[in-house]
Amino acid sequence: MTMRDFAPATSLVDLRFQGHPEYIACYVLHTSRGIALIDPGPSSTLSALEESLRLAGFSFEAVTDVLLTHIHLDHAGATGSIVRDHPDVRVHVHARGARHMVDPTRLLASASRLYGDRMDTLWGEFIAVPTDRVNVLEGGETLALGGRELEVAYTPGHASHHVSYFDPDGGLAFVGDTLGIRIDNRPYVMPVTPPPDIDPARWTESHRKIRAWAPDTLCPTHFGPARPAEAHIDEHEQRLAGWAAGVEEAVATGADAQERARQFALQVQRDIEGVLGKEQAAGYAAGGGLTDSWHGLARYFTKRATKEQQ
Ligand SMILES: [Zn+2]
């Protein structure tokens, strides 16, 4: 539970989700007005986040803004709890995600189908954010945060409501899950493609937008600053294309989905271990939900095929 600085006035907190190090990062921007958090993580790690700030000499009272890349529980779950306890905090989120932050009923129902009775242990509470605390983003905005300016880009692909943030002064791109999982700058980038709204076609445009920023450093939530940015984006784009081609072929030939998902997970796991070794690869598969990633892509290609038939 420590906060570490990795760029001027920019830190990260390892939330140690379920006791695992290097699993979920919350990025912390120090501004002239206080602190902005990029993806505060789930409620289950909120006390760890508060404690980390406190140990580094900051009070949670200093938090002015919460910037969400997207509303998946591991990124955004604590937001409502933070606003309840600190009613002045502003929440920035894409328009397609904003309504679920204001009324999380549907979001929680779909998450409950996935996680069942583990919902509470894994994520903790997810409470609504009052409408008047939400700044709705479309992409293309510049956010003024106490002497710092952050550019916003709409970057769908992993989620239909995903945005990324760019700090031009530091050359830092906060990309959420748009550029996959890469733990501690290890030489392996793994896409994350779970249901329900994976879209490889729109993802291409998101890669292009992030490249156009020419960032020095990428800041994926899972986990930690990654460099050089261009090679990381290339690797993500190529690996995603390879995954998509395999799943598209399986869907077209009517292969057994469960079996293909299982084979895919084993194959990716072997691939990562081949590059990183067993020990360094462990965190990737644990966080990756590889069979989910197969199903996320399969859902896209199945939907597209159904549309084409109509
Ligand atoms: Zn996500």
Side-chain angles (χ1 to χ4, degrees), residues 155 164 166 171-175 178-182 185-186 188-191 203-220 226-241:
T155 53
S164 298
F166 183 57
L172 306 169
F174 299 91
V175 294
T178 298
L179 295 174
I181 291 181
R182 181 180 188 182
N185 209 37
R186 289 173 199 162
Y188 199 96
V189 180
M190 187 184 84
W203 216 320
T204 304
E205 178 65 5
S206 300
H207 286 123
R208 195 195 59 73
K209 283 183 192 162
I210 295 169
R211 278 184 208 279
W213 279 333
D216 294 318
T217 304
L218 302 171
C219 304
R227 304 183 184 90
E230 195 64 28
H232 178 122
I233 301 169
D234 289 345
E235 185 177 339
H236 185 267
E237 195 155 26
Q238 284 159 20
R239 190 154 285 126
L240 178 67

Side-chain angles (χ1 to χ4, degrees), residues 70 72 75 158 177:
H70 64 304
H72 290 166
H75 295 253
H158 170 82
D177 288 348

Side-chain angles (χ1 to χ4, degrees), residues 270-284:
R270 269 199 299 270
D271 189 41
I272 304 172
E273 286 175 5
V275 176
L276 298 181
K278 243 189 160 61
E279 200 178 310
Q280 299 254 299
Y284 279 80

